[in-house]
Amino acid sequence: MANKTVLITGAAGFLGSHLCDYFIAKEFSVLGMDNLITGNMKNIDHLMGHPDFTFYHHDVSNYVYVPGDLDYILHFASPASPIDYLKIPIQTLKVGSLGTHNLLGLAKAKNARMLIASTSEVYGDPLVHPQTEDYWGNVNPIGPRGVYDEAKRFQEAITMAYHRFHGLETRIVRIFNTYGPRMRLNDGRVLPAFIGQALRGEPMTIFGDGSQTRSFCYVSDLIEGIYRLLMSDYAYPVNIGNPNEITIKQFAEEITKLTDAKSGIIYQPLPQDDPMQRQPNIDKAREILGWEPKVDRAEGLKITFDYFKTLTAEDLNKVEHNDFTKYNKY
Ligand code: UDP
């Protein structure tokens, strides 16, 4: 029997590249697509030339063509950090809306099953805690994060419409904060920010008083959950994340210990609409997928720190890897 073919968008990004590795290891034929706006070819260098891997440099917000049969599409292309939304807001909206529409059309034409990467951001600054999938959220549509949150909410809506109207097989994963090797050191998110600061000998920047909470999931756990969801027959959203909740202040203390940082902590203003608390309720994932996270934070953080230590001084001191200016014409 021929290998199943999977198209992974955002293939050169953090999660996309781990998905490519996972599906290659499972002997799928993998088509990776990325416009490299926030992705980095270094993340998939090792797959180039692999007989089961093909890379397409393409922006999925424009019409998407791939030759041949397609069994699965995983739509992971999107900026995913709050500072990226501020730099490239229109592209963030387009990839979640127009990009999703193009890929749903492709899935329909190829009779493929489509899984979309949604997010805990659909819950906004949540008034229900921990967040269950039936909570509708508390999102500011016109705030700085609205470009991401509303694109992802639209993405869920159009995906359910294709499922209900066209009978397309669809899956929706709501991803909570995830970390691991290949995160962009300068993407502004809290883990690379703190580790980068530790490695440069700078103080760690806590936004607000650090009492806001997050729950961090190690990447291999997330990828396993996504695979199980894809292979399940469940079309409604499923939270995938690690319910172990921690304040950002505690997190800074953990990173300080791990990295043996000596430069202390400084406090900066809390960004607008920064959610005060976040913790997934994963009952559904447990029941439907038989999934729960396995890697505890101490173990996951150690692996991640070891990865960041392999980066060069040049990587460490670069303000930003990517040249966004050329995309601002869109
Ligand atoms: N944060 C921080 N210092 C930083 C970067 C982030 O205190 O240098 C905080 C941020 O305000 C938020 C939390 O860490 O409360 C997680 O931020 P991140 O950007 O990683 O992702 P979010 O969960 O907000 O999407």
Side-chain angles (χ1 to χ4, degrees):
M1 203 179 71
N3 290 357
K4 297 273 187 200
T5 301
V6 55
L7 170 65
I8 298 172
T9 75
F14 167 46
L15 297 181
S17 65
H18 284 285
L19 284 167
C20 289
D21 284 344
Y22 186 95
F23 281 90
I24 286 284
K26 284 207 175 300
E27 298 187 344
F28 281 70
S29 173
V30 176
L31 313 180
M33 191 171 279
D34 206 298
N35 68 353
L36 301 177
I37 182 169
T38 57
N40 189 332
M41 286 304 285
K42 273 190 192 164
N43 292 336
I44 49 171
D45 251 1
H46 59 286
L47 294 176
M48 301 305 275
H50 189 291
D52 294 331
F53 185 74
T54 311
F55 181 71
Y56 294 88
H57 184 193
H58 181 68
D59 182 342
V60 298
S61 298
N62 301 315
Y63 184 84
V64 182
Y65 169 80
V66 293
D69 291 340
L70 211 49
D71 299 290
Y72 303 102
I73 299 175
L74 281 79
H75 182 24
F76 278 70
S78 177
S81 91
I83 61 164
D84 288 343
Y85 318 150
L86 296 174
K87 287 184 195 152
I88 41 175
I90 316 287
Q91 293 84 347
T92 304
L93 278 157
K94 284 175 72 174
V95 73
S97 55
L98 307 182
T100 304
H101 186 212
N102 288 333
L103 293 162
L104 286 164
L106 180 68
K108 184 164 147 274
K110 302 271 189 187
N111 201 17
R113 182 180 297 179
M114 167 125 160
L115 180 145
I116 58 156
S118 188
T119 166
S120 53
E121 284 284 322
V122 300
Y123 303 122
D125 191 3
L127 306 176
V128 166
H129 191 75
Q131 292 77 58
T132 45
E133 288 88 346
D134 57 6
Y135 176 48
W136 292 351
N138 178 37
V139 171
N140 174 5
I142 58 164
R145 302 169 87 109
V147 296
Y148 183 65
D149 300 7
E150 294 298 357
K152 291 293 186 180
R153 289 169 68 96
F154 173 86
Q155 182 183 44
E156 289 197 4
I158 193 171
T159 299
M160 287 309 297
Y162 266 71
H163 174 66
R164 293 193 176 112
F165 189 75
H166 290 305
L168 191 73
E169 284 210 51
T170 54
R171 306 287 179 264
I172 300 174
V173 57
R174 288 188 181 151
I175 299 171
F176 283 65
N177 294 67
T178 302
Y179 69 97
R182 303 185 191 153
M183 289 186 95
R184 250 162 66 224
L185 186 65
N186 300 310
D187 83 352
R189 280 187 286 189
V190 66
L191 180 138
F194 285 173
I195 291 189
Q197 286 158 347
L199 289 172
R200 286 189 297 263
E202 295 167 0
M204 286 178 202
T205 50
I206 289 186
F207 299 163
D209 63 5
S211 64
Q212 71 272 35
T213 68
R214 294 294 186 271
S215 308
F216 296 96
C217 184
Y218 186 66
V219 63
S220 61
D221 281 333
L222 181 91
I223 300 294
E224 178 63 32
I226 288 168
Y227 181 75
R228 290 193 191 194
L229 176 61
L230 179 68
M231 295 306 163
S232 78
D233 58 5
Y234 192 73
Y236 291 93
V238 178
N239 290 338
I240 299 282
N242 189 323
N244 188 344
E245 187 180 6
I246 183 175
T247 68
I248 293 303
K249 188 155 190 286
Q250 286 170 309
F251 193 58
E253 285 157 6
E254 282 189 11
I255 304 276
T256 301
K257 245 196 203 148
L258 173 74
T259 58
D260 200 21
K262 303 270 187 263
S263 301
I265 283 170
I266 52 170
Y267 289 87
Q268 293 185 348
L270 191 67
Q272 191 193 330
D273 300 334
D274 197 291
M276 278 314 294
Q277 51 182 4
R278 183 180 287 156
Q279 183 195 35
N281 174 310
I282 58 164
D283 289 352
K284 258 195 185 179
R286 283 199 176 101
E287 281 160 30
I288 297 167
L289 313 177
W291 175 90
E292 60 182 8
K294 292 198 170 65
V295 181
D296 72 20
R297 211 170 41 244
E299 186 187 351
L301 286 180
K302 190 180 170 314
I303 304 168
T304 308
F305 181 45
D306 287 345
Y307 163 78
F308 280 117
K309 279 193 290 193
T310 66
L311 300 181
T312 61
E314 193 198 346
D315 286 330
L316 206 56
N317 292 311
K318 229 183 249 173
V319 174
E320 179 57 74
H321 292 296
N322 302 70
D323 175 14
F324 291 116
T325 52
K326 63 177 186 251
Y327 290 95
N328 284 335
K329 65 180 189 293
Y330 290 134

